[in-house]
Amino acid sequence: MLKLPVVWADGCLEHVPGAEIWVGVRTPGTELPERATLIRDAVVRAGARLVPAAAHGDDVLELVHDKAFLDHLANVYVAWEEAGFPVDPGQDRVVPYVFPTAAMLAGMPERVPVAIHARAGLYCYDTMTLVGPGTWTAARAAVDAALTAADLVAAGEPVAYAICRPPGHHATRAGYGGSCYLNNAAVAAVALRRAGVERVAVVDVDAHHGNGTQALFYDRGDVYYGSVHVDPGAGWFPHYLGFADERGTGDGAAHNRNVPLAPGSGDEAWLAGVAEVCADVAAFQPGAVVVSLGVDAAADDPESPLRVTESGYLRSGALVRELGVPVVAVHEGGYHLPTLGALTVATLLGLTGTAGEGSAP
Ligand code: SP5
Ligand code: ZN
């Protein structure tokens, strides 16, 4: 039996990406609304109690993200529609076509372009992460879910879990990508800091490196980030970040830890990575942990080559539980519809110590 509050927000279903443009080709995409309903139904069947997300103001969100970025995300779809793109050339999702990377600017000043199809490239770093009419509603609802879970833990719950969709760990202070728009885990971490927790650690078990969360806390001594993920150096998203030598800077020096794994790695290597991050976290002595709970490291997942089992996910939860501090778990990736509910339940069983094995004394 699962004994923990699970935060649910109906608004998370409003985001319908419609497609992912990958290497210029329109593909169906895997970050679907039914991911959230499948997870919800699985955790309820396992005995968890659903708690509706409470609406929160923007104060914590604005500590994590740039105000101009938030305004852009909130308004870009309507601007896209008003500019006529759904009719001509027939694109009903926001897809940038020019990006102000260093390759283009070459050190010249960055401007905010007037054309909406150009401005989209200022805040978005890939072609896979489409914005539709419900994207902002859903991303904002996911933030409310993460904040509600953080509130529950601040009020004394040992573990709370938020079914956040769209996911968040690839979103930076002023940029979206990797199917992520707003960084739900970072918002939860900052909310815990504001609730008086002096040090917060983020443990990211999603198959991909959470480049957004890393970047947000890279120079901070009060929020640790640790991640176990498929090696970007072996050719995997996010490609440019997630290497072992990224250790933090300034006050954040040694407070960032990446454990990249070879494609094909299974429970043994993955759990050794999670244990390594947890040992680091224990030395950091946080007052609370945020888990970026992605279940896409599983063997059947279409988006990653890692081969973690359900039992591996359960044991990863137990490793975090053994840290002995309160946990806010925030959903990230996981795209294999037949198994993502069971993988999530397994992780939560490990986190709450109700699985009958691997639980803390
Ligand atoms: C939150 C999260 O897990 N984001 C992961 C985004 C990684 N997406 C990488 C997509 C690479 C291309 N996928 C198309 C597969 C075609 N077979
Ligand atoms: Zn992922």
Side-chain angles (χ1 to χ4, degrees), residues 115-153:
I116 192 64
H117 52 308
R119 210 185 310 146
L122 182 57
Y123 297 107
C124 175
Y125 60 78
D126 64 36
T127 61
M128 307 182 300
T129 310
L130 277 48
V131 176
T135 300
W136 172 254
T137 298
R140 193 59 187 74
V143 164
D144 279 335
L147 286 168
T148 304
D151 289 345
L152 287 164
V153 163

Side-chain angles (χ1 to χ4, degrees), residues 169-170 206-208 296 333-335:
H169 72 157
H170 297 303
D206 185 280
H208 304 98
D296 46 3
Y335 307 97

Side-chain angles (χ1 to χ4, degrees), residues 80-134:
W80 185 264
E81 219 177 14
E82 282 172 355
F85 288 100
V87 177
D88 178 10
Q91 177 53 272
D92 68 353
R93 293 292 184 273
V94 178
V95 185
Y97 86 111
V98 61
F99 299 89
T101 61
M104 181 188 193
L105 296 183
M108 302 294 125
E110 184 175 273
R111 320 259 177 194
V112 178
V114 61
I116 192 64
H117 52 308
R119 210 185 310 146
L122 182 57
Y123 297 107
C124 175
Y125 60 78
D126 64 36
T127 61
M128 307 182 300
T129 310
L130 277 48
V131 176

Side-chain angles (χ1 to χ4, degrees), residues 20 65 70 90 162 181 254 264 313 342 360:
E20 267 184 30
H65 291 292
L70 294 171
Y181 304 86
Y313 267 100

